[in-house]
Amino acid sequence: MAGVPDVEQALRAYAQRGVFRGLDVKQSRGATEFALQWVGDTPVRLRCETRQRLLTLRHLLPDVKQRSAFYADLQAFVAQRLSGELPSHRSIKARALDVQWKLDRGRASLVFKVKNGDYAYAVNRVVNLTHELFVRSEEHTSELQSH
């Protein structure tokens, strides 16, 4: 797969399966932004910049401090997926994608660099990793509330 139409097709397939409650698409400054109605009322924003071969989950997590244990845990979470130690459904092929967190005023974005042009694989990893983060976040929140 090689571009925005392919990313949109892959995301629409997830929406049809009920992974998202809604999907909106808009063009903005040399990129395409997908608003995914996923968990809660605030859409998850996926920015696709094919010239740079980037898929970015913009401002996925609020209130993240750079020197916090939470941010270190997020970085370790991604590193583990790239390590090859996990089963294939939970791992990320390092030869296909580079994944890293970026902070902007306390808002954490997850950036996927598509190395081999396989946007179908990239979208699959975006969806699976984000779902795993949501589950992990929910477990963490429940754990904190029970203490």
Side-chain angles (χ1 to χ4, degrees), residues 67-114:
R67 296 175 201 256
S68 66
F70 181 58
Y71 189 55
D73 184 50
L74 291 173
Q75 290 176 312
F77 178 82
V78 167
Q80 184 182 38
R81 267 97 200 125
L82 290 164
S83 71
E85 298 171 2
L86 295 174
S88 61
H89 70 281
R90 293 185 61 216
S91 66
I92 296 170
K93 296 175 191 170
R95 70 179 185 280
L97 292 172
D98 183 32
V99 184
Q100 61 183 350
W101 288 100
K102 297 269 185 187
L103 284 180
D104 176 29
R105 293 181 223 144
R107 297 174 297 187
S109 297
L110 196 53
V111 181
F112 295 76
K113 174 82 170 186
V114 183

Side-chain angles (χ1 to χ4, degrees), residues 22-75:
L23 171 67
D24 292 317
V25 184
K26 72 176 185 176
Q27 298 293 320
S28 68
R29 295 190 209 136
T32 302
E33 189 163 284
F34 300 92
L36 314 169
Q37 287 301 127
W38 205 332
V39 176
D41 295 329
T42 304
V44 172
R45 302 208 178 277
L46 178 67
R47 185 175 176 87
C48 178
E49 299 170 270
T50 53
R51 276 192 187 185
Q52 294 89 359
R53 296 177 295 148
L54 296 177
L55 294 175
T56 305
L57 287 162
R58 299 186 66 213
H59 307 148
L60 185 61
L61 299 171
D63 302 321
V64 178
K65 307 273 187 277
Q66 186 166 4
R67 296 175 201 256
S68 66
F70 181 58
Y71 189 55
D73 184 50
L74 291 173
Q75 290 176 312

